[in-house]
Amino acid sequence: MTRTPGESFADRHWPGADARAQAERVVRRIQDRICAGVMEVEAHASLSSSSSPSPGFREDRWLRPGGNEGGGITRVLQDGHVFEKAGVNVSVVSGTLPEQAVQAMRADHAKLQVMTATSGVAFFAAGVSCVLHAQNPFVPTIHCNYRYFEVDTGAGTIWWVGGGTDLTPAYVFDEDCRAFHTTLKDACDEFDPTYYGRFKAWCDRYFYLPHRKEARGIGGIFFDDVDELPLARAFAFLATCGAAFNDAYFPIVKRRMLDPYTDDDKRWQQLRRGRYVEFNLIYDRGTRFGIFTPNARIESVFMSLPLTARWEYMPDVVPGSREQHLLDVLSAPRDWIRSSDH
Amino acid sequence: MTRTPGESFADRHWPGADARAQAERVVRRIQDRICAGVMEVEAHASLSSSSSPSPGFREDRWLRPGGNEGGGITRVLQDGHVFEKAGVNVSVVSGTLPEQAVQAMRADHAKLQVMTATSGVAFFAAGVSCVLHAQNPFVPTIHCNYRYFEVDTGAGTIWWVGGGTDLTPAYVFDEDCRAFHTTLKDACDEFDPTYYGRFKAWCDRYFYLPHRKEARGIGGIFFDDVDELPLARAFAFLATCGAAFNDAYFPIVKRRMLDPYTDDDKRWQQLRRGRYVEFNLIYDRGTRFGIFTPNARIESVFMSLPLTARWEYMPDVVPGSREQHLLDVLSAPRDWIRSSDH
């Protein structure tokens, strides 16, 4: 692993590329904020339990091998007081997309559809992705990913932003779900009154395990190919979503992290972690892109996997139990915000 | 889950179909032998540790839903004295293969290549699959799968057999690896002197994780599309391979199952279990076929997953350690039998 000084990748590799440097600043700021949020609750738990200090984040700065440009900063905290595994990764990369990748992307990206077939296009991407798995079974797992993408079509550069934030509890507290969705909706509403509704539905469609006939979690927002805002406003949208991540999640963590739990609660959490692994290895596009990309930094790709997981054959779920409540919630998407009106 | 009496699926659904009934007898006998082998070491461990009796196998008999024919018998032992999770599954199914499935199979099955495109073909399959994950980190995980396949081409019925047995240790004992491969070679040599060499190489190719640049384990044998033996002899080959499974594996279990181990040994085993999950969910054709088949019995498909697994970010491996020895062994296939001559 090559460690490099802390300057911006964009400053170093693409001097004068303002949009690229700005995209990198946005995703690195989201990374910093999330890590600060994690460390705040870790410090709080260290104090209240009079236990040893939190292990803190390990940071690895890496460069892409094989002549491709860019690299990233991966931060992982393992076996903390509050978090079993917390991974927050920034990557800033560029190069040439092979024709196959362009074809695969065309369905998702409106402007790429009008491009004629080509032998590959130059691209730039800056993104942050984060998965936080807590120790306490009553603290949900959370995931987010925000990215800026730029493609040189030959007849000019096109860009878009994408990403989302979604929550995966092992036990459902309805008030947590409502507060979580409301915070994300408020962030979206600043930019477009249709965003939350569309991006919430997109999230429900994406984070779904057909072989289990259940959602991965209680959703959140998910979007891609957003380019109708002015560029500065698109960056502001990413930054606002990134800030909303902290506001939506850490209050839940603080509310639940000291709740007592039993071995059975922990066992259920571990079983749910198994479903999380299933989603990421079988369906998640980002993970599978990393797995099948030669020379991808596999440790950063698999940072999202939980520290521990469990698969039992035909586990019993007691009717009317809190475990059954989760399964009911995951069987069909809910309108969490409307349901708070009743 | 529909439970049915113990009669043969073939007797019930395909009266007079001798080959089908015989195939079912072969795979059910392999299942019975493996389960008996598991219970023998479980009983032994119960005695020597004066502990509670082994939980034994849970058996579920199931029928395929949705108008397809056949079903299966799944047996799973969980949290035993010796085995963390032992799954042994028989399925006997028939129906019509969609055109897409026929096309996908054509590359692997010589006789299918000459068939013209068709809107689907009738098929019959009888198979046994088994994965045994032990508690003790010094006892390797083992997997086998043996199957008989029959396809009605319209111009007559073609058949083949396939399968294999392979070993996945967390710690490598060279003498165990040599004995394991020698037993499989002896079984193959009864039928064709070229089988072991070809099927060992096939196994090494198949059980490989490109994203980790390592083999899943120390291999064994793997074959498909075997139809050049007379049918009775092909069944005898499956039965002999099935018997060799017990002879190759349970002596290793008995030798290692009472070895003392540390928390670090267990942690390493759990990390290796993570790699096992990766292989099965990302690459294994049988598992992925089950995941993407509507109405597949998902609990039987995922029976192969370990009870527990672990993913650490950048785990340390000490140079010269037994953990490093495993990684070295997995970095390139070995000729375990030739190496025993030296």
Side-chain angles (χ1 to χ4, degrees), chain B residues 40-63:
Chain B
E40 189 201 327
V41 293
E42 285 286 324
H44 183 70
S46 299
L47 283 176
S48 57
S49 66
S50 318
S51 54
S52 51
S54 168
F57 279 95
R58 164 181 178 164
E59 178 177 288
D60 290 294
R61 287 167 185 267
W62 45 276
L63 288 176

Side-chain angles (χ1 to χ4, degrees), chain A residues 260-278:
Chain A
Y261 57 85
T262 67
D263 287 348
D264 278 348
D265 300 330
K266 191 73 189 171
R267 173 183 147 264
W268 178 250
Q269 180 201 45
Q270 296 293 295
L271 288 172
R272 302 310 306 178
R273 294 269 157 85
R275 304 292 172 98
Y276 208 87
V277 171
E278 289 172 28

Side-chain angles (χ1 to χ4, degrees), chain A residues 140-143 165-169 176-177 180 217-220 249 252:
Chain A
T141 291
I142 193 167
H143 159 254
T165 295
D166 67 285
L167 197 72
T168 307
D176 291 352
C177 302
F180 178 79
I218 61 131
Y249 184 58
I252 298 174

